[in-house]
Amino acid sequence: MKKRTNVIVTAMMMLSGIASAQTQNDPVIMTINGQPVLRSEFEYSYNKNNTDGVIDKKSVEEYVDLFINYKLKVLAAEDERLDTVSSIRREFETYRDQQIRPAMITDADVEAKARELYDEAQQRVDANGGLVQPLHILVMMRQDATADQQAAAKQRIDSIYSELKRSEDFEKLATKYSEDPQSARRGGSLGWVEKGYLYKEFEDVCWNLKPGETSRPFTTPAGWHIVKVLDKSLYPSYDSLRTNIVNYIEHRGLRTQIIDQKIEELAKAQNKTTEEVLAEKRTAMEAEDPSLKYLIQEYHDGLLLIDLAMREVYNKAQNDEAGLNQYFKKNKKQYKWEEPRFKGMAYRARYAEDVPAVKKAVKGLPFDKWAQTLRETFNNDSVLRIRVEKGYFKNGDNKIVDKEVFKTRDKVDDENEQKGMKKLHQDYPYTATYGKLLKSPKALEDVRGQVVNDYQEYLMDQWVAKLRKKYKVEVDKSVLATVNKHD
């Protein structure tokens, strides 16, 4: 216990020294609610969000308020202890470890695993007689085949065998006659095989033939076969298979197993937990690359911010109907259209009597109830009686609306449409519109999407203003002036 305590004390002293040196080379650029923010963190955030490709690129001075607002939201989330929520903590820990774990192993560790896999395979294969490279011709025969089916299969394989003895072109006959489609495309080739993957009857024949020899017809549970052995070999050299083995490690997720094994070995050797091993590795990596520290912190802060912002702003904006209506009424003048909109529907009917019936069905109903009512009234069985397009239309959005509301369709347009949509016109020959022409938005629903977005921005501004009052912020302008201007 005393030894462990000394190790902890020593580590704390080292970290204290590192922190002191870091503060000298990396001064505090601001404090937020008494918490220091180093210049390097601000620079990381600024440079990441203001690259040359960014459209709305900010100056350092312009970015200060955006950065402060971000940090205030994170601080508010921490005050509400969102960082202790199990789901958020698990997601963060998973991400954090994904950044650290790959660095726990080296190429040498992967090479050692590849060699281990090779040695296991080599010992297994060579102990079982090595590898064989066979060609085969298959005539399929079910195990429950009738006597007539068995006789037919036997007659067919004997016929192929007789032709094979005359032509001796095994690959050509395999392609022509074999009922194993995959190998038939390759002239009957099964590639290099080892024992344990094919029928025993098949393997017994293969391993008893010499290279170049061809078997007589024989049976397995799959049917009748003829086999020719092209070659035999012991397991190939490591160098010839190394690339394939390394690819196998990557694609089968074995790298994760190597990492787990390495961490467990280090933990056991150092008398630590696996969590402590990862934490120490993270500290070392962050000391070498401060941007890694801020990348991990950024993910952590982002999780907290999103969770709280959804509650404080986004969900509220979506569900606060009274607030949305009040905001729309107060700012109604700013919502305008460059041209009128037709609020309603354009529809085609299969039967003439449905044209007035459609209008009657939705008359007096809220606009958002029209679609469900029409489905239940006219399209609730196997025959679709109407085809409807509902929404807000400007001139050019819908051909029926253009013609009947905006009066902009001409005869040539109608003739071209008739040719291009002949089938639809035949099945639904009656067209009509129902709704009203609006010169400007009259109600919240007319511009709901835009109002929701604006209301979200309003709520965000209100929230930030409240946080600005709650938490004290101090910026060191002399340090701010050195951003991206120091050695």
Side-chain angles (χ1 to χ4, degrees), residues 469-482:
K469 291 181 180 179
K470 181 178 180 180
Y471 300 115
K472 183 179 180 180
V473 177
E474 294 180 326
V475 178
D476 189 328
K477 293 186 178 180
S478 63
V479 176
L480 183 65
T482 68

Side-chain angles (χ1 to χ4, degrees), residues 7 61 67 83 136 215 244 262 273 290 311-312 426 447:
V7 170
E61 291 73 16
F67 180 81
D83 52 342
H136 88 128
S215 74
N244 291 337
K262 184 70 173 291
T273 66
R311 187 175 67 200
E312 293 287 337
Q426 288 176 346
V447 282

Side-chain angles (χ1 to χ4, degrees), residues 220-232:
T220 73
W224 283 94
H225 303 262
I226 303 172
V227 167
K228 179 178 180 178
V229 170
L230 295 180
D231 201 1
K232 291 184 175 183

Side-chain angles (χ1 to χ4, degrees), residues 33-68:
N33 199 41
Q35 297 182 12
V37 178
L38 299 180
R39 180 178 60 191
S40 59
E41 181 181 354
F42 179 84
E43 284 181 336
Y44 169 84
S45 181
Y46 173 78
N47 293 331
K48 182 176 180 179
N49 291 289
N50 290 276
T51 59
D52 291 337
V54 173
I55 296 175
D56 188 21
K57 190 173 180 179
K58 305 292 185 183
S59 67
V60 171
E61 291 73 16
E62 290 172 331
Y63 191 71
V64 169
D65 280 341
L66 296 177
F67 180 81
I68 290 172

Side-chain angles (χ1 to χ4, degrees), residues 409-467:
R409 299 282 290 170
D410 58 29
K411 185 176 181 180
V412 174
D413 292 330
D414 291 338
E415 289 175 351
N416 290 336
E417 184 187 354
Q418 290 284 349
K419 293 176 182 178
M421 303 181 69
K422 185 176 180 181
K423 176 64 176 174
L424 181 62
H425 283 284
Q426 288 176 346
D427 293 343
Y428 300 88
Y430 305 101
T431 62
T433 59
Y434 181 71
K436 55 185 176 182
L437 188 64
L438 303 176
K439 292 184 178 180
S440 61
K442 301 299 182 184
L444 169 62
E445 65 180 14
D446 298 337
V447 282
R448 174 175 289 274
Q450 187 177 351
V451 174
V452 169
N453 287 335
D454 292 345
Y455 189 49
Q456 285 176 350
E457 292 186 13
Y458 169 77
L459 291 176
M460 183 67 76
D461 290 342
Q462 295 291 106
W463 184 33
V464 170
K466 184 172 65 174
L467 295 178

